[in-house]
Amino acid sequence: MSTPLFTGRPHSLALVASVSFVSLLVLGILAASVGGDGSSTSGKSSKRQQDKGKKRPRKVFMRGLYNLGNTCFMNSTLQSLSSLEDFKEYIENCAAFIMRNERTAIDPVDAAIALQLRNTVIQLVPQTRKVPALSPRDLVNSLSKRVRWVSSRNEQDAHELFQMISSTLNATRREANTSLFDSGFLSSSLPIDAPVFSPTPTARDYPQHRQDVADDSAESSILNGEPPKDFRQPVSRRGSSAASFRMPPFSNPFLGMAADRIACVKCGYTAAIRHFTFDNLSLALPMARRTTIEECLSMYTEIEQLSHFKCSNCTLLATLAHTEKMIRQREAELATYVDAGSSSSSSSSSSSSSRKLQKLKSSLKALHLDRRRLDNAAAGSLENDLKGIELTSPPPGVSTKQTMLARTPRILVLHLSRLIFLPTDGSVKNPVHVTVSPLLDISPFTTTGHISKNASKPISGSEAHSGTRRSASLSEAKRMNCLYRLCAMVFHAGTHDSGHFYTYRRVPLSSGKSDDSNTSQQQKRSFEDEAAQWFMISDIESKEISESTVFSAGNAYMLFYERV
């Protein structure tokens, strides 16, 4: 007896037949698609390959910082610094240098601040998952040993904290009494773009990878701001031996140099152009509704008039003219006394005339010596020592002053000074809207190879003071080390006396590793197209925001840029 193929009800047979028919129909459609021109299948395949080649940006989360009592000024500064790759390299190098020179002339309080700062920054990197907020209490304790206002629980200033951190880090890497030439900043052997010092990592160099930092007694004492047991105090360079360590082979990324010129409009004299270093620039803001960061930099570098400045050359010329006038007067008085003495026969009057004659001769001799010194100064350098000569003030004149950037830093920090002093001795906050862009070209505000001493013209460039001198392209600005990318902004919400600090922080999108075949294409990709995510971070709270939100906000207090 044969077994039937289907043993169910008649409608079951119909259902199976229907499913088989639909399956054959689908297969027929697919076969037709493959058997045709193949455009549909190839298009879908190409799209799948493109989608596979494009890696979706990984989801990132930002770690917040607990507010330990009005410490939002510190939290916003730390988040901004953590967005800077050059700063992270710098703080790692500082920490490694400190640990390699732990028993030398580094101040233990400065060393503790640097190490605690490094330990905090490395934990503020973007995370692949949500992590609990971080408490910066150890860093606050270290900072409080340098300045007590950090832990006072009063509202403080983010800009002031940045300046303190920058000077502290610079102190940890500078030998006592070391000049800028000794530090390598001005020497040709160590240009500003010298390779960053990358020591061989060890367990002690990276305490975050160890279970307990306190296992290392030396590092534990430094983190607590205490000198090691065999700590040696600094030895003056004037003594028999030099200090116990030299400058580290890495530079301060915040350090830039500006050129300052003062020139007289009346006589055309220009004093020697003086240079000074800076780690941030404080920019005055106009009394207007809107402005741009370029206009603020133009105000910083514009030519300003000094109505009460005394020109050295005008003072010298006035003193020289007064000295020559006094010489003529003494010569006339001397001739009068000689004539009077020759006609006098009295012994008493003759003795008096002789004393007066001797006094006039001494005075005339001193005036001739002064004139000789003044002539030498006028022919040579006005900075010659004119001690002992009573200088004559010239008539009021007009001088000009201008400051331009002579050497650009790797990290450019701009402080937007929003403080306005009122005639009533009070102060308010300037609400002007300052427009910023992702990229900043500062070439109009930098010196070139040509230096002008004309009081009415800028130090370099015909239109530098107006901010209209531009590089031919952003690529040219990049080649000149004048192109910067905005990485973070610190904001202050509230009045001048009270409020809250928060941060906008940029996180570049990870493109992943690529093979050699794609390297040339990536190099051709313009730096203008570098994609990134932006986050608003306020203490422990963080959320992703759009670029339109970032660049439409005009109430920034501090701007952090990295050189492209």
Side-chain angles (χ1 to χ4, degrees):
M1 183 176 178
S2 62
T3 304
L5 186 62
F6 298 102
T7 58
R9 299 177 180 178
H11 67 269
S12 299
L13 294 174
L15 177 62
V16 172
S18 300
V19 172
S20 300
F21 176 77
V22 172
S23 300
L24 291 174
L25 182 62
V26 172
L27 290 175
I29 294 174
L30 291 176
S33 300
V34 175
D37 59 2
S39 59
S40 175
T41 303
S42 61
K44 292 180 179 179
S45 176
S46 176
K47 185 177 181 181
R48 283 197 300 269
Q49 291 178 358
Q50 292 178 1
D51 293 340
K52 185 176 180 181
K54 290 183 179 180
K55 292 186 176 181
R56 292 184 179 181
R58 59 185 177 89
K59 182 70 174 178
V60 297
F61 301 89
M62 304 309 299
R63 191 172 198 173
L65 290 165
Y66 282 108
N67 192 317
L68 304 179
N70 286 326
T71 57
C72 59
F73 72 98
M74 182 181 66
N75 294 346
S76 60
T77 304
L78 293 176
Q79 292 286 0
S80 298
L81 292 176
S82 300
S83 70
L84 306 169
E85 293 300 323
D86 280 330
F87 176 76
K88 287 185 279 191
E89 282 187 336
Y90 178 50
I91 191 64
E92 286 287 354
N93 288 334
C94 284
F97 183 74
I98 289 170
M99 296 311 302
R100 290 191 175 192
N101 297 273
E102 60 189 2
R103 293 175 176 83
T104 58
I106 302 176
D107 185 280
V109 175
D110 291 342
I113 292 174
L115 293 179
Q116 292 290 0
L117 181 62
R118 190 277 306 267
N119 292 344
T120 302
V121 167
I122 60 178
Q123 298 183 70
L124 294 180
V125 297
Q127 307 289 329
T128 57
R129 58 184 179 85
K130 290 184 177 181
V131 294
L134 179 68
S135 173
R137 186 172 300 279
D138 290 338
L139 178 59
V140 170
N141 293 337
S142 297
L143 290 170
S144 299
K145 294 179 180 180
R146 175 62 62 205
V147 286
R148 294 189 176 183
W149 50 262
V150 173
S151 58
S152 66
R153 293 184 176 270
N154 295 325
E155 296 189 23
Q156 305 296 341
D157 184 38
H159 178 236
E160 188 175 356
L161 176 68
F162 166 79
Q163 291 179 308
M164 193 271 283
I165 289 176
S166 177
S167 60
T168 298
L169 293 180
N170 206 43
T172 61
R173 56 181 297 279
R174 174 166 295 182
E175 180 183 352
N177 299 327
T178 301
S179 68
L180 288 174
F181 287 93
D182 297 326
S183 69
F185 183 73
L186 299 180
S187 65
S188 57
S189 60
L190 185 61
I192 196 168
D193 292 325
V196 176
F197 175 55
S198 299
T200 303
T202 61
R204 73 184 306 159
D205 291 334
Y206 299 95
Q208 70 274 16
H209 295 305
R210 294 177 294 158
Q211 295 297 324
D212 189 2
V213 177
D215 292 342
D216 192 314
S217 58
E219 184 172 345
S220 178
S221 63
I222 293 177
L223 285 171
N224 293 327
E226 302 170 357
K229 295 180 180 179
D230 53 350
F231 172 77
R232 296 195 299 269
Q233 292 294 336
V235 181
S236 174
R237 300 181 66 189
R238 298 179 182 178
S240 57
S241 62
S244 52
F245 69 97
R246 295 293 178 183
M247 285 300 301
F250 59 91
S251 59
N252 183 347
F254 296 111
L255 204 61
M257 181 175 289
D260 187 84
R261 183 201 65 189
I262 297 180
C264 180
V265 176
K266 180 179 179 181
C267 69
Y269 171 73
T270 300
I273 294 180
R274 305 185 184 277
H275 292 80
F276 61 92
T277 59
F278 64 87
D279 58 10
N280 73 100
L281 299 177
S282 287
L283 306 181
L285 302 182
M287 295 295 295
R289 294 186 61 185
R290 302 182 69 90
T291 186
T292 64
I293 192 63
E294 289 83 2
E295 290 175 353
C296 296
L297 284 167
S298 180
M299 291 174 57
Y300 181 83
T301 58
E302 69 180 355
I303 300 177
E304 57 178 315
Q305 289 190 350
L306 306 176
S307 57
H308 300 289
F309 181 80
K310 291 185 179 180
C311 171
S312 299
N313 187 58
C314 290
T315 300
L316 180 65
L317 295 178
T319 304
L320 184 58
H322 178 73
T323 302
E324 291 177 344
K325 178 181 178 181
M326 294 300 297
I327 289 176
R328 291 192 297 269
Q329 290 181 357
R330 294 293 185 269
E331 288 177 345
E333 292 176 6
L334 183 61
T336 301
Y337 273 96
V338 169
D339 294 340
S342 61
S343 61
S344 175
S345 58
S346 171
S347 60
S348 58
S349 60
S350 176
S351 175
S352 176
S353 297
S354 177
R355 288 194 298 271
K356 291 182 179 180
L357 184 62
Q358 188 64 31
K359 187 176 180 180
L360 283 173
K361 288 182 178 180
S362 298
S363 176
L364 186 61
K365 182 180 179 180
L367 288 171
H368 278 290
L369 290 175
D370 289 348
R371 184 175 66 177
R372 185 179 304 172
R373 292 174 61 190
L374 291 169
D375 287 335
N376 292 336
S381 174
L382 296 185
E383 279 69 26
N384 287 344
D385 185 16
L386 298 178
K387 186 177 180 179
I389 299 179
E390 184 178 355
L391 300 179
T392 303
S393 297
V398 176
S399 296
T400 62
K401 178 183 178 182
Q402 187 186 24
T403 301
M404 296 189 73
L405 307 184
R407 198 167 193 178
T408 61
R410 298 204 307 273
I411 298 176
L412 178 64
V413 180
L414 301 180
H415 165 236
L416 306 183
S417 180
R418 293 185 174 272
L419 179 63
I420 302 176
F421 291 101
L422 301 177
T424 57
D425 295 333
S427 59
V428 294
K429 185 177 177 181
N430 190 342
V432 58
H433 184 284
V434 182
T435 302
V436 298
S437 301
L439 296 176
L440 174 64
D441 176 12
I442 65 170
S443 58
F445 319 107
T446 58
T447 59
T448 62
H450 174 72
I451 301 297
S452 172
K453 293 187 176 182
N454 191 320
S456 59
K457 292 184 178 180
I459 299 177
S460 288
S462 59
E463 297 177 335
H465 64 285
S466 63
T468 58
R469 177 174 61 90
R470 299 285 178 182
S471 56
S473 64
L474 292 181
S475 298
E476 178 66 12
K478 181 177 183 296
R479 187 190 67 81
M480 298 166 57
N481 288 334
C482 292
L483 187 63
Y484 288 84
R485 188 188 307 282
L486 183 63
C487 295
M489 293 190 286
V490 172
F491 295 85
H492 181 262
T495 64
H496 169 67
D497 299 321
S498 178
H500 177 69
F501 286 100
Y502 60 95
T503 307
Y504 283 2
R505 177 176 171 178
R506 180 181 184 273
V507 178
L509 292 179
S510 177
S511 57
K513 295 183 179 180
S514 59
D515 53 17
D516 295 337
S517 60
N518 295 329
T519 302
S520 59
Q521 295 180 359
Q522 289 184 353
Q523 290 177 348
K524 291 180 180 179
R525 181 185 177 185
S526 173
F527 47 80
E528 302 178 58
D529 300 331
E530 183 174 301
Q533 295 172 272
W534 281 90
F535 291 85
M536 184 185 76
I537 308 176
S538 176
D539 291 335
I540 64 173
E541 302 293 336
S542 67
K543 67 175 182 178
E544 185 177 354
I545 56 177
S546 64
E547 283 197 354
S548 60
T549 300
V550 173
F551 297 108
S552 63
N555 58 329
Y557 179 65
M558 293 182 69
L559 304 173
F560 292 80
Y561 292 87
E562 272 193 316
R563 201 166 62 193
V564 177

